[in-house]
Amino acid sequence: MSTNSGKLYVVATPIGNLADFSARGIAVLTQVDLIAAEDTRHVRMLLSHYGISNKLFSLHQYNEQKASAALLEKLRQGLSIALVSDAGTPLLSDPGMPLVKMAREAGIEVSPVPGACALIAALSVAGLPVSRFLFEGFLPRTGAARRAFFQERRDWRLTWVFYESSHRILAAIEDLAEVLPVQRGIVIARELTKVHETIVKDSLENVLTLLRQDENMRRGEFVVIVSAAQPEKNEAVISAEQKKLLTILLRECSTRTAAALAAEITGARKKDLYQAALALRKDR
Ligand code: SAM
């Protein structure tokens, strides 16, 4: 490590409730020579809340390589720099990775100032096993890509987590219900630490109904947690679309024929569809 170099602090900021900012976060943002921020207007609000005035440098996804190179030069000259994003922990679905990588490669000290992170906050209240989980960040934006993404993860035996915005939350959960068994447990954590914080843990089917019925539930920022696949004996592992098709076929055909036709149409396993058809007949 070069002794005259500065130090890079990676500082987590609140994800909603400003009171969540740590004492060390405030001290570091006050003392560093420069704050590298995703949106300088946004960070100014945080700084003014805490009475901090300091120099800002813009580092966002569109200027990241160039800005990181410039910041690296300043670190080499001995300046200390704090990296912050708009909310939560930098680098987690946020800019910062190139700067941290460059600083490490240059032998510059990089130190975390930990704090809020939406995915960790959501996992901490989900009541699901979290000793192993997979964080996926933001989902693909188009329906087809999203469904393919869900299909790949459908049978994975670990909790998985993704971020979603108000614009796409309904479409994302609708796609999830097309691909995963609708009985699968999910958690949606909305507006964490803010006035309208809502955490719902229910079956995919019930969460979808709630989102469709309640416009307010579609507002704000979301973390979605999908429970691990745990196929039980004789559990009919079918999607909402497959269930709809089976229900229609069962009006006209025997259980066996309905399952065979649904398997041919959807490509799903006949055995699963047969189990589901039996359960549907029983429910009538
Ligand atoms: N770096 C941040 C972190 O540590 O959580 C995440 C930044 S990412 C650009 C923003 C996304 O995080 C939002 O679209 C939402 O999915 C999630 N998020 C951020 N704040 C949230 C909150 N208060 N409640 C729920 N989700 C939140």
Side-chain angles (χ1 to χ4, degrees):
M1 187 168 308
S2 53
T3 44
N4 297 327
S5 297
K7 183 165 167 177
L8 175 64
Y9 295 91
V10 180
V11 182
T13 56
I15 55 169
N17 191 327
L18 291 183
D20 289 339
F21 200 25
S22 72
R24 198 155 77 88
I26 297 166
V28 167
L29 292 198
T30 308
Q31 287 156 14
V32 287
D33 297 304
L34 190 65
I35 301 171
E38 189 182 3
D39 181 339
T40 50
R41 278 167 312 177
H42 195 99
V43 79
R44 257 192 205 109
M45 281 191 279
L46 179 74
L47 297 184
S48 84
H49 181 84
Y50 284 102
I52 303 169
S53 78
N54 208 335
K55 278 193 228 106
L56 296 175
F57 188 100
S58 169
L59 174 129
H60 48 71
Q61 60 171 319
Y62 303 106
N63 73 350
E64 210 171 353
Q65 289 299 335
K66 212 168 150 193
S68 300
L71 287 165
L72 180 67
E73 202 38 52
K74 293 182 191 298
L75 285 162
R76 281 199 169 113
Q77 288 163 8
L79 265 63
S80 59
I81 297 177
L83 168 68
V84 297
S85 62
D86 284 354
T89 304
L91 277 77
L92 273 294
S93 296
D94 266 340
M97 203 282 285
L99 175 60
V100 171
K101 185 168 181 275
M102 282 179 198
R104 289 216 152 278
E105 284 168 3
I108 287 159
E109 198 180 343
V110 184
S111 179
V113 181
C117 179
L119 95 104
I120 300 299
L123 283 170
S124 73
V125 292
L128 286 169
V130 292
S131 49
R132 283 180 76 216
F133 68 86
L134 177 70
F135 173 57
E136 297 282 12
F138 286 103
L139 298 174
R141 283 172 177 232
T142 67
R146 217 163 31 220
R147 286 189 293 277
F149 179 91
F150 290 150
Q151 188 69 46
E152 199 187 334
R153 285 150 185 79
R154 188 189 127 113
D155 298 322
W156 288 4
R157 302 283 181 97
L158 83 174
T159 301
W160 43 281
V161 190
F162 58 85
Y163 282 163
E164 196 47 278
S165 70
S166 54
H167 312 294
R168 278 183 297 271
I169 186 69
L170 180 59
I173 301 301
E174 280 175 337
D175 285 342
L176 197 60
E178 263 194 44
V179 177
L180 265 64
V182 289
Q183 311 86 329
R184 179 75 73 84
I186 70 164
V187 175
I188 53 172
R190 168 180 169 262
E191 294 289 88
L192 290 169
T193 78
K194 302 185 203 174
V195 179
H196 297 293
E197 176 181 279
T198 321
I199 298 148
V200 179
K201 183 182 188 188
D202 209 328
S203 67
L204 183 45
E205 195 166 32
N206 290 346
V207 170
L208 180 55
T209 305
L210 182 67
L211 284 173
R212 281 184 173 145
Q213 285 172 351
D214 185 351
E215 200 182 317
N216 286 329
M217 276 301 297
R218 306 195 292 264
R219 298 212 167 101
E221 300 189 282
F222 297 83
V223 181
V224 180
I225 307 177
V226 183
S227 64
Q230 283 169 332
E232 287 164 22
K233 251 193 196 159
N234 298 331
E235 182 193 352
V237 194
I238 64 165
S239 71
E241 284 300 301
Q242 290 162 348
K243 187 172 167 186
K244 197 162 130 195
L245 175 65
L246 259 186
T247 309
I248 296 167
L249 289 169
L250 281 169
R251 283 189 212 136
E252 307 294 334
C253 320
S254 70
T255 310
R256 197 168 292 283
T257 309
L261 287 174
E264 201 173 325
I265 295 166
T266 64
R269 292 195 322 178
K270 197 152 89 185
K271 204 171 117 209
D272 290 339
L273 292 163
Y274 184 70
Q275 290 296 341
L278 284 177
L280 284 171
R281 279 238 190 270
K282 218 166 57 190
D283 289 347
R284 279 198 198 161

